[in-house]
Amino acid sequence: MPEFEIQLRDVMLYANHGVMHEESVTGNQYRVNVRLRLDAASFDADKDDLASTVSYADVFEMLRSVMADRVALIETVTVKFAQKVKDRWPHVKGGWIEIVKTVPPIPNMIGEAGVRYDF
């Protein structure tokens, strides 16, 4: 069955998630990737209608909104985002979201830390 995959790649957002108190005050830079799978069988290219798919601008606004609500765990952010996607676009068959903390507060660590949630 044909599918579309709506993608947001390497979206950079600043947020105040984290277990440590300093993270809630200073925040951190996050890189986010999103993939949403949609059934393309009923898509009519002749109509060229955005209503028959999912606007990646709307996906970004949803992501921005969910990232703005401070929580301790980025796992919580991923699950909340997935729930909102499924509620708003029931024709989305599934997907995944990956959130990467680009400068994790881990002493002596050079690199990134993140979570990916498949739904």
Side-chain angles (χ1 to χ4, degrees):
M1 180 167 284
E3 291 184 337
F4 285 114
E5 187 175 85
I6 305 300
Q7 303 178 6
L8 295 181
R9 296 182 190 165
D10 297 328
V11 174
M12 301 302 289
L13 295 168
Y14 200 83
N16 293 72
H17 307 302
V19 175
M20 301 170 83
H21 173 72
E22 304 84 51
E23 293 177 288
S24 67
V25 175
T26 60
N28 208 319
Q29 186 74 37
Y30 294 86
R31 185 178 62 251
V32 183
N33 292 295
V34 174
R35 304 290 189 272
L36 303 178
R37 291 187 347 269
L38 292 86
D39 182 2
S42 62
F43 182 78
D44 186 348
D46 292 329
K47 290 185 180 177
D48 197 30
D49 182 17
L50 182 58
S52 63
T53 184
V54 173
S55 165
Y56 47 80
D58 291 343
V59 175
F60 171 76
E61 283 304 317
M62 182 179 289
L63 173 63
R64 189 193 56 71
S65 172
V66 172
M67 286 291 289
D69 290 334
R70 189 205 178 285
V71 296
L73 303 174
I74 55 178
E75 288 88 337
T76 302
V77 178
T78 64
V79 171
K80 286 184 175 189
F81 176 78
Q83 289 170 338
K84 286 183 177 286
V85 165
K86 289 189 243 179
D87 289 345
R88 180 160 178 194
W89 298 294
H91 62 290
V92 169
K93 295 170 59 174
W96 57 265
I97 177 172
E98 174 186 58
I99 301 177
V100 176
K101 190 176 286 190
T102 61
V103 186
I106 302 171
N108 303 313
M109 180 182 158
I110 298 172
E112 302 173 329
V115 171
R116 177 177 156 159
Y117 179 64
D118 292 85
F119 57 94

